[in-house]
């Protein structure tokens, strides 16, 4: 019987819907739809299905992390790539959700957060992530998918 591919769940947090339309010097000129297309191509190359989402709500991100735990229990999840945007630097609730879900998770940032303002240099996600990707622009999404495939 044909086995369906595992999914990569890519979660994007607040204001990432502005990607490519504001602050191109920091985040580049590609839109979130362009990033989704890049992720779809990269997932196909690695034999994965893609589930790509964006929300401006902290609670929604947490609900999606809980869903990821269910998908992992069903054996259909390759891993989670999370760009929690500003919630990275503020959200204990997100930290707790990731810890409780115990899913394989890569934290991702488009920009080099350590070369920016001091408030971006603390992450509540990093201590509960399996790996962190930052500073490679939107190409980091493809690199993170490749990292999942190398596990
Ligand atoms: O570099 C990243 O990917 C960030 O996660 C992006 C967040 C920022 O708060 C983090 O410190 C680093 C901001 C996302 C907002 O996205 C925008 C994109 C284009 C224009 C304006 C906002």
């Amino acid at each position: 019987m044909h086995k369906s591919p595992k999914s990569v769940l890519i979660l994007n947090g607040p204001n990432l819907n502005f990607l490519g339309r504001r602050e191109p010097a920091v985040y580049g000129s590609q839109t979130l739809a362009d990033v989704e297309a890049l992720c779809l191509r990269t997932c196909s190359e690695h034999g994965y299905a893609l589930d790509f989402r964006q929300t401006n709500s902290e609670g929604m991100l947490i609900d999606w992390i809980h869903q990821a735990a269910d998908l992992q229990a069903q054996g259909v999840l390759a891993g989670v790539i999370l760009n929690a945007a500003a919630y990275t630097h503020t959200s204990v609730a997100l930290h707790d959700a990731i810890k409780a879900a115990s899913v394989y998770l890569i934290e991702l940032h488009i920009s080099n957060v350590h070369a920016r303002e001091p408030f971006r240099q603390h992450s509540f996600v990093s201590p509960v992530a399996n790996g962190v990707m930052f500073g490679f622009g939107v190409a980091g999404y493809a690199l993170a998918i490749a990292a999942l495939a190398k596990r």
Side-chain angles (χ1 to χ4, degrees):
M1 212 173 79
H2 183 68
K3 213 167 140 237
S4 48
K6 286 193 176 188
S7 301
V8 176
L9 180 59
I10 302 188
L11 305 181
N12 295 285
N15 301 309
L16 282 161
N17 48 307
F18 287 137
L19 204 62
R21 303 183 212 285
R22 314 264 162 83
E23 297 190 64
V26 181
Y27 300 111
S29 56
Q30 297 200 60
T31 65
L32 200 61
D34 295 332
V35 177
E36 182 170 6
L38 168 68
C39 291
L40 193 56
R41 281 198 305 278
T42 312
C43 277
S44 305
E45 282 163 20
H46 291 285
Y48 291 137
L50 173 67
D51 190 343
F52 189 95
R53 306 179 188 180
Q54 190 271 331
T55 179
N56 293 322
S57 150
E58 183 178 11
M60 186 64 79
L61 279 178
I62 290 165
D63 288 345
W64 288 345
I65 296 289
H66 295 173
Q67 279 179 21
D70 293 339
L71 294 173
Q72 177 155 285
Q74 292 160 28
V76 296
L77 183 74
V80 179
I81 298 170
L82 172 64
N83 186 348
Y87 292 137
T88 305
H89 316 299
T90 63
S91 181
V92 176
L94 194 54
H95 171 107
D96 288 347
I98 296 165
K99 193 171 180 180
S102 74
V103 291
Y104 194 92
L105 183 140
I106 299 178
E107 175 184 355
L108 182 143
H109 302 286
I110 297 165
S111 63
N112 178 355
V113 281
H114 292 289
R116 300 183 63 193
E117 302 95 324
F119 64 81
R120 295 187 203 278
Q121 290 170 39
H122 177 265
S123 167
F124 283 102
V125 175
S126 296
V128 286
N130 294 89
V132 185
M133 175 78 66
F134 62 87
F136 292 97
V138 298
Y141 284 82
L143 295 170
I145 294 165
L148 285 180
K150 289 261 186 216
R151 280 182 68 196

